[in-house]
Amino acid sequence: MASHAANLWVLLGLGLAGIFLMTKRLKKTIKADFGAFIQKLELLPPPQPAPPKAPHPLTGLNFAVSDVFDIEGYVTGFGHPDWLRTHEPSTHTSPVVLALVEGGATCIGKTVVDELAYSIHGENKHYSTPTNPAAPARIPGGSSSGAAVAVAADFVDFSLGIDTLGGIRVPAAFCGVIGFRPSYGVISNTGIIPVSSSLDTVGLFAKDPSTLRRVGLVLLQLPFSVQRNPKQILLADDCFELLKIPKDRISQVVTNSTEKHFGRQVLKHENLEKYFSSKVPSLKEFYSQKINGDSKISSLTLLANVAQILQRYEFKCTHGEWIHSEKPVLDSAISAQINETLDMTDKEIEICKLVRTEMRLAVNNLLKDDGILVIPTTAYPPPKLGSKEIFSDDYQNRSFSLLSIASISGCCQVTLPLGYHDKCPVSVSFIARHGGDRFLLDTVQTVYSSLQEHADTVAKSKLSPNAVKQEHSAEAVKEKGNQAYKDKQWQKAIGFYTEAIKLSDNNATYYSNRAAAYLELGSFLQAETDCTKAISLDKKNVKAYLRRGTAREMLGYYKEAIEDFSYALVLEPTNKRAALSADRLRKVFQ
């Protein structure tokens, strides 16, 4: 009996020891702070101003900063212990951090970055990889991995990082939070360790759009202005072809949300490969200088090459001497890129810089003051920890093809979470022209809730592959109709639009476009019927109101025509055609 009791105590002891060891292992795997922080500290805001002055704009918010921002009295670590060892404590705090603290926010710590803030993966062998709260078995993305994790795990309201070739956008996408890369040069980089001087931008993570906008306006120091809605939202169809998840999981969400807020007519489709090929001529010069053989390489892939070359070249110009003298132990993949001999002439570097200049002009011309470009943030879902997938040519090419658009053009970009697909976070990115930061933040504020609702609906929907295929076929036929219309082949255009309607009969644009062709042929009754159907599907379809007003005027229904033109003017107050038509009819018939 005593022997049996002793055995039980032994087993119990072994069990408790096992639980203790397992707990210890789990603590190593997932730290209390998810491994986000490299150093805790506290920078407190100044006292609130006395009434009637308004309180500080960021009162009640706390934040963290990536370990590339200088804070007085602390060594800026740059993601590597050898850098920490060979540098002195900072004598000043970065102006960006000071602006946020003086704005009422409390800084509570510094967060982990990739080694030398160089990669987009988030894995750091020296400080361990921060745990992705949205998908713990997956990488968090880099370079500002810890800053994204701190927001995703609700340790802070927002956080700061830098984005060179995706340092904000990738971890935001992988951790399921909002990430904002402002326009290049609009926020000071003083007091921040540079990675690539012509690509680096201070970036921001937030959990919700109101916090993003609140902090963004302080950072950008923008004056008050009236909020504007986008006049066009461009879906980059060829970019969505790069996705490794079903593209409809993202594009359908954007389409549904756009239709709800701004009307279907605002949505347009764009092929960036063709656009950049014609509008960025220096890409061809870059191609002829660097690429051997006759194989065709897309302009997006060439952009990715230009971006990586600029990053590598500028990084070596800034930090090459330190690397040569200190010989830090680096991750093999990062070391291979940094130490790779760049066989680049001065002329070739100048071509890369010319690409950058032409890209900004091209994107600004595409979007103007009121356009939003929509692309996937990343092509792949977050890879598993330790996966070799991140080093594959396909992963690298797809990733940087998407990321280089804003990096090279210097335009502003926001990454927005759209729920999950196969237990991995999904995101989409909105891009506005260089300097259009406030317009972009306002647009995000307007559509964010709707995007989340539609993302949830699409994720749960049972839309069959055949239905999705029909949607795509309908769009293709519509484009043929548009071309026939441009060629003034009205009857042919009507045939194409009719075919599109048969494939997808709930699309207001198809009916509205067919009405335009009917108007050209003088078939006013058919045009009025189509416009009425279009309006029933999309209450904000300005073109349908204008076309129905025209049809009704030609049919002698003047009162109804005035109502249509007037309503079009309510939806779009600057529409001159609606204003002139309504005034003309009122003068004649009232």
Side-chain angles (χ1 to χ4, degrees):
M1 185 76 175
S3 174
H4 180 66
N7 287 337
L8 281 174
W9 280 111
V10 169
L11 288 170
L12 182 60
L14 287 170
L16 288 171
I19 291 169
F20 174 76
L21 286 170
M22 182 60 73
T23 303
K24 198 171 180 182
R25 282 176 191 158
L26 282 172
K27 282 183 178 175
K28 276 186 178 179
T29 305
I30 302 180
K31 296 178 181 177
D33 65 358
F34 282 69
F37 289 89
I38 204 162
Q39 193 166 33
K40 293 292 180 70
L41 52 88
E42 193 171 56
L43 298 181
L44 296 172
Q48 292 291 340
K53 289 186 177 179
H56 297 309
L58 304 181
T59 296
L61 299 181
N62 60 16
F63 71 103
V65 299
S66 294
D67 196 20
V68 295
F69 289 80
D70 289 344
I71 293 180
E72 185 180 353
Y74 296 88
V75 180
T76 309
F78 206 23
H80 203 290
D82 288 338
W83 186 277
L84 195 70
R85 175 179 55 80
T86 57
H87 288 77
E88 297 296 317
S90 302
T91 56
H92 297 86
T93 298
S94 164
V96 174
V97 178
L98 281 178
L100 296 171
V101 173
E102 289 168 2
T106 300
C107 180
I108 67 167
K110 286 193 168 195
T111 54
V112 174
V113 294
D114 281 343
E115 285 183 340
L116 308 182
Y118 197 83
S119 87
I120 60 169
H121 308 137
E123 295 180 302
N124 189 320
K125 65 183 178 185
H126 303 289
Y127 299 110
S128 77
T129 301
T131 301
N132 184 342
R138 307 274 172 162
I139 64 173
S143 64
S144 306
S145 52
V149 168
V151 171
D154 287 323
F155 296 129
V156 291
D157 298 300
F158 68 94
S159 61
L160 294 183
I162 60 166
D163 189 304
T164 305
L165 287 182
I168 291 289
R169 293 164 288 168
V170 174
F174 286 0
C175 294
V177 297
I178 304 174
F180 176 38
R181 176 193 162 95
S183 298
Y184 175 77
V186 299
I187 299 175
S188 170
N189 283 350
T190 304
I192 301 166
I193 300 175
V195 176
S196 176
S197 58
S198 72
L199 303 176
D200 291 343
T201 302
V202 172
L204 172 65
F205 297 103
K207 204 67 180 288
D208 62 82
S210 60
T211 301
L212 178 80
R213 189 172 181 277
R214 193 171 157 192
V215 178
L217 294 183
V218 170
L219 285 178
L220 296 163
Q221 299 179 340
L222 293 171
F224 174 79
S225 65
V226 178
Q227 184 168 335
R228 295 178 294 115
N229 286 334
K231 294 288 181 62
Q232 56 174 347
I233 292 181
L234 300 173
L235 277 173
D237 292 336
D238 51 332
C239 290
F240 280 92
E241 293 298 331
L242 296 172
L243 274 171
K244 299 295 281 187
I245 67 168
K247 60 185 177 183
D248 299 285
R249 174 63 184 81
I250 299 176
S251 61
Q252 193 60 48
V253 172
V254 175
T255 298
N256 293 347
S257 184
T258 297
E259 184 172 357
K260 175 181 177 181
H261 283 286
F262 312 119
R264 187 104 186 201
Q265 74 279 4
V266 170
L267 198 67
K268 305 286 191 293
H269 293 266
E270 185 64 58
N271 183 298
L272 290 185
E273 150 65 20
K274 291 181 180 177
Y275 182 77
F276 292 148
S277 290
S278 64
K279 300 297 183 181
V280 188
S282 53
L283 278 175
K284 292 173 185 172
E285 195 174 353
F286 172 78
Y287 177 85
S288 64
Q289 290 279 340
K290 293 303 297 175
I291 309 298
N292 296 319
D294 298 324
S295 60
K296 168 69 174 169
I297 296 181
S298 78
S299 57
L300 291 176
T301 301
L302 289 173
L303 274 179
N305 291 338
V306 169
Q308 289 169 291
I309 285 169
L310 279 175
Q311 181 191 26
R312 205 169 304 166
Y313 173 78
E314 293 177 347
F315 185 92
K316 290 189 78 170
C317 287
T318 307
H319 303 300
E321 187 177 330
W322 178 83
I323 291 172
H324 179 73
S325 62
E326 295 300 329
K327 296 179 172 54
V329 177
L330 297 172
D331 178 88
S332 58
I334 295 174
S335 179
Q337 289 187 49
I338 291 174
N339 293 318
E340 179 183 314
T341 302
L342 272 174
D343 184 23
M344 295 286 287
T345 65
D346 290 343
K347 181 184 178 184
E348 288 164 342
I349 293 298
E350 286 305 310
I351 292 171
C352 288
K353 292 177 179 178
L354 184 57
V355 169
R356 194 174 61 213
T357 302
E358 290 176 355
M359 267 294 289
R360 179 175 300 181
L361 185 62
V363 176
N364 283 358
N365 285 340
L366 177 68
L367 299 178
K368 301 182 175 60
D369 286 335
D370 53 14
I372 296 288
L373 177 65
V374 182
I375 65 170
T377 309
T378 57
Y380 279 71
K384 292 180 180 178
L385 288 163
S387 168
K388 302 299 181 187
E389 180 181 55
I390 57 178
F391 305 117
S392 71
D393 288 342
D394 187 69
Y395 181 89
Q396 296 280 318
N397 287 337
R398 288 176 189 254
S399 298
F400 289 117
S401 289
L402 295 170
L403 296 167
S404 64
I405 296 168
S407 290
I408 294 293
S409 69
C411 296
C412 48
Q413 178 173 340
V414 171
T415 295
L416 301 168
L418 294 182
Y420 289 78
H421 177 77
D422 286 346
K423 300 181 180 178
C424 287
V426 174
S427 76
V428 71
S429 274
F430 284 9
I431 296 175
R433 67 166 180 83
H434 182 270
D437 301 72
R438 180 165 196 142
F439 169 64
L440 181 60
L441 292 176
D442 287 347
T443 301
V444 167
Q445 178 93 348
T446 300
V447 303
Y448 185 80
S449 295
S450 173
L451 284 171
Q452 304 313 304
E453 290 169 11
H454 287 297
D456 189 50
T457 301
V458 169
K460 292 175 181 176
S461 72
K462 304 293 184 183
L463 196 62
S464 69
N466 186 52
V468 172
K469 187 178 178 181
Q470 276 192 293
E471 288 273 357
H472 288 311
S473 298
E475 276 295 303
V477 174
K478 180 206 76 173
E479 290 302 320
K480 290 181 181 178
N482 289 350
Q483 188 56 54
Y485 186 91
K486 287 176 186 175
D487 296 338
K488 299 184 179 182
Q489 297 176 323
W490 319 123
Q491 200 64 54
K492 191 174 181 181
I494 288 168
F496 282 127
Y497 294 137
T498 301
E499 189 179 339
I501 289 167
K502 287 177 181 176
L503 290 166
S504 179
D505 64 357
N506 61 350
N507 190 310
T509 302
Y510 302 163
Y511 289 99
S512 179
N513 285 11
R514 189 169 69 174
Y518 275 133
L519 285 175
E520 295 291 347
L521 291 174
S523 302
F524 303 122
L525 278 174
Q526 290 93 330
E528 183 197 27
T529 301
D530 269 356
C531 288
T532 300
K533 178 64 176 179
I535 290 166
S536 72
L537 293 169
D538 179 5
K539 297 289 192 295
K540 295 181 180 180
N541 195 316
V542 174
K543 289 181 179 178
Y545 282 105
L546 289 172
R547 288 164 184 167
R548 188 170 70 174
T550 301
R552 286 176 167 177
E553 181 184 356
M554 300 307 293
L555 290 167
Y557 306 147
Y558 303 121
K559 181 182 176 183
E560 292 83 354
I562 292 170
E563 288 173 357
D564 278 339
F565 292 133
S566 300
Y567 198 75
L569 203 56
V570 170
L571 291 173
E572 203 172 276
T574 58
N575 193 301
K576 291 181 180 178
R577 180 187 163 193
L580 290 171
S581 298
D583 287 345
R584 175 173 49 77
L585 285 176
R586 284 194 190 100
K587 287 175 183 176
V588 175
F589 299 104
Q590 286 187 347

